[in-house]
Amino acid sequence: MARTDVIVLGAGIVGTSVALHLVKRGLSVALVDRGGAGEGTSYGNTGIIEGNTLFPAAFPSRFAELLSIALKRSPVADYHLGFLPQVAPWLLAFRSASRPERLLETAQLMRPLMGRAVAEHEALSAEAGAQHYLRHNGWLKLYRSDRSFSGAARELDVAAEFGIANVPLDRDAALKLEPSLQPVFRHAVHWTGAVSVTNPLALTRAYAARFAALGGLALTGDARTLHRVASQWRVDTAAGPLDAGEVVVALGPWAPDLLDPLGVKLPLAVKRGYHRHFRPQGNAALARLILDAENGYCLAPMEQGIRVTTGAEFAARDAAPTPVQFDRVMPRARELFPLGDAVETQAFGGKTWLGARPCFADSRPVISRAPRLAGLWLAYGHGHWGLTLGPATGRLIAEMMTGATPFCDPKPYGAERFAR
Ligand SMILES: Cc1cc2nc3c(=O)[nH]c(=O)nc-3n(C[C@H](O)[C@H](O)[C@H](O)COP(=O)(O)OP(=O)(O)OC[C@H]3O[C@@H](n4cnc5c(N)ncnc54)[C@H](O)[C@@H]3O)c2cc1C
């Protein structure tokens, strides 16, 4: 029977980073996925390493905003009506975690991880020869109205307290940074310390290649075959059954498929999101990532083209795509930047890409031992911040698993917080 020290289940940015950190510490590690590294949620994100972000995405606080979502007019969020009863407990917990004092608490609890995000990506990308995928010119958040800009005031105050660099800009100053934008906005904030990725799939693949170069084993298999054999965990792979004393579950939005039957039932929901690439018209170009704050979409310059990504859709993970929200943001995106033809006329059937952010209502991931199951570790639920936090998560869990002093207190990310 083949044996290894650790099996990591799921080769997204989180699992690949975990596997790489473990192999760097001298353990024998197998990284098991049913597909290729980085082809799940980690494929299609906006590519921002948001080490600077303080407050998580929050439940709407203004009635008008909530009404617009309820009436299915909002570009920021959408939902499947039939899914609401199922997700209602999660939404109530999310609303509670969106109170101002709770948002501040989340910002404080996430700071140790977020503060390490950029440095950890820089370290892994340097050893993986992938620095060229990182762009160090921050990101630009745009506000079309004075009211929405005033909504950012609290975040700017807290950023000043935490020492996080940003430069509020008027429209003309922002247009100097990004001359191809149209002047449909009034204010901007340039978060200068943020880093963005020009090809998230290629970055995860580069980390996976580094893992393999250090002796890590990448295998194809179905994580749901995981079971106990005496004191070991066993998973079936295309290369045969594989045993290990320790297993890390890094299956992103698919983690419950494995964990629920094992009795580890943590309250994960998904916020689905779409993307599609467009060619810029003529000589138009974007140097950095743009968020249109009121409309909840981003323009991300990628190797494939300008990637337009949408906000949250509350729907069952595997329900058929309903990219209506994408349709709502496109006119707004086109008035902000001269987008030309869609790049994907063949890929995904010429349609939009759909992914599912794995989210806990308190916007914190789970990075901890699994309750009651010896040798099982959890690293999932990174929500809007999985690309950002993959490498920092890898370091933290590898330090915990090898008995080293963790670089930060892991308690806020423990699974036990749901046992209360
Ligand atoms: C539209 C959009 C924009 C986003 N933008 C950003 C951003 O700008 N910055 C940021 O930090 N985050 C962003 N995110 C979030 C980020 O993409 C996710 O948090 C992150 O990709 C999660 O990574 P993961 O490794 O946990 O999961 P995944 O990448 O989904 O990896 C899980 C892996 O598990 C595998 N798997 C599933 N089931 C099985 C099974 N039964 N057997 C074997 N393998 C299995 C899958 O094949 C997959 O490879 C965005 C997400 C979306 C949808």
Side-chain angles (χ1 to χ4, degrees):
M1 182 60 54
R3 263 206 100 259
T4 186
D5 293 331
V6 186
I7 297 169
V8 179
L9 298 173
I13 187 64
V14 175
T16 303
S17 301
V18 169
L20 178 48
H21 268 287
L22 287 168
V23 89
K24 274 155 62 86
R25 284 163 179 75
L27 297 174
S28 65
V29 183
L31 178 59
V32 177
D33 200 293
R34 61 186 173 192
E39 293 177 3
T41 325
S42 301
Y43 171 85
N45 54 55
T46 308
I48 186 82
I49 299 175
E50 310 193 61
N52 64 290
T53 289
L54 286 163
F55 296 136
F59 195 88
S61 56
R62 290 174 47 246
F63 177 72
E65 207 182 333
L66 194 56
L67 188 67
S68 155
I69 295 171
L71 295 174
K72 291 184 157 285
R73 290 185 191 145
S74 170
V76 175
D78 197 35
Y79 61 93
H80 286 187
L81 190 58
F83 184 63
L84 286 186
Q86 199 180 323
V87 79
W90 189 97
L91 284 174
L92 288 175
F94 183 51
R95 191 179 66 171
S96 164
S98 298
R99 292 198 307 266
E101 68 280 9
R102 290 283 309 277
L103 289 179
L104 186 58
E105 183 194 30
T106 303
Q108 284 158 344
L109 293 174
M110 288 303 292
R111 209 55 227 147
L113 272 188
M114 293 298 244
R116 276 302 270 262
V118 169
E120 293 297 334
H121 266 288
E122 278 169 346
L124 289 194
S125 63
E127 63 178 88
Q131 297 107 313
H132 55 286
Y133 295 120
L134 302 189
R135 195 172 31 207
H136 294 261
N137 60 2
W139 73 323
L140 202 57
K141 297 189 184 179
L142 306 181
Y143 301 87
R144 294 185 184 227
S145 67
D146 294 342
R147 189 189 46 70
S148 75
F149 183 55
S150 65
R154 191 158 163 269
E155 191 172 27
L156 293 177
D157 287 346
V158 179
E161 263 174 54
F162 285 19
I164 297 171
N166 62 80
V167 186
L169 301 170
D170 62 19
R171 182 171 53 207
D172 290 347
L175 290 174
K176 278 202 183 108
L177 276 183
E178 294 291 351
S180 296
L181 292 179
Q182 300 304 303
V184 293
F185 59 94
R186 290 176 65 81
H187 304 275
V189 180
H190 184 198
W191 295 85
T192 49
V195 169
S196 58
V197 174
T198 57
N199 187 335
L201 171 66
L203 188 72
T204 306
R205 281 183 175 162
Y207 293 175
R210 175 68 180 154
F211 163 74
L214 293 177
L217 200 58
L219 295 172
T220 304
D222 187 339
R224 292 169 300 179
T225 61
L226 185 77
H227 59 285
R228 274 276 189 209
V229 176
S231 63
Q232 298 290 299
W233 289 101
R234 178 171 298 168
V235 71
D236 297 332
T237 76
L242 180 68
D243 286 5
E246 299 195 278
V247 172
V248 183
V249 179
L251 294 166
W254 293 278
D257 295 0
L258 167 67
L259 293 173
D260 282 3
L262 291 175
V264 181
K265 296 190 177 173
L266 304 185
L268 189 83
V270 296
K271 291 188 201 170
R272 307 201 313 174
Y274 299 86
H275 90 217
R276 196 164 182 189
H277 299 109
F278 294 85
R279 291 186 190 87
Q281 282 181 28
N283 294 328
L286 282 179
R288 58 181 62 68
L289 228 136
I290 309 289
L291 168 74
D292 182 345
E294 278 107 318
N295 294 300
Y297 71 87
C298 289
L299 299 177
M302 295 275 172
E303 286 184 349
Q304 298 95 324
I306 305 286
R307 180 177 288 185
V308 181
T309 57
T310 65
E313 181 187 54
F314 292 95
R317 184 192 66 198
D318 300 328
T322 47
V324 286
Q325 203 182 347
F326 199 86
D327 297 339
R328 282 177 215 154
V329 304
M330 280 314 293
R332 294 311 187 97
R334 287 190 188 284
E335 72 186 14
L336 177 63
F337 179 83
L339 292 167
D341 296 337
V343 171
E344 283 101 5
T345 50
Q346 299 303 321
F348 313 111
K351 298 207 177 79
T352 49
W353 175 86
L354 167 62
R357 305 172 183 91
C359 300
F360 290 107
D362 61 8
S363 298
R364 283 183 257 151
V366 167
I367 307 169
S368 76
R369 286 182 182 279
R372 296 179 302 280
L373 292 172
L376 197 68
W377 295 80
L378 308 175
Y380 75 103
H382 291 72
H384 294 251
W385 294 330
L387 171 69
T388 300
L389 294 177
T393 298
R395 171 178 289 283
L396 183 59
I397 206 157
E399 288 172 348
M400 290 159 77
M401 291 177 73
T402 55
T405 305
F407 75 84
C408 69
D409 177 8
K411 195 147 178 268
Y413 324 120
E416 319 78 54
R417 69 186 192 267
F418 298 110
R420 286 182 213 134

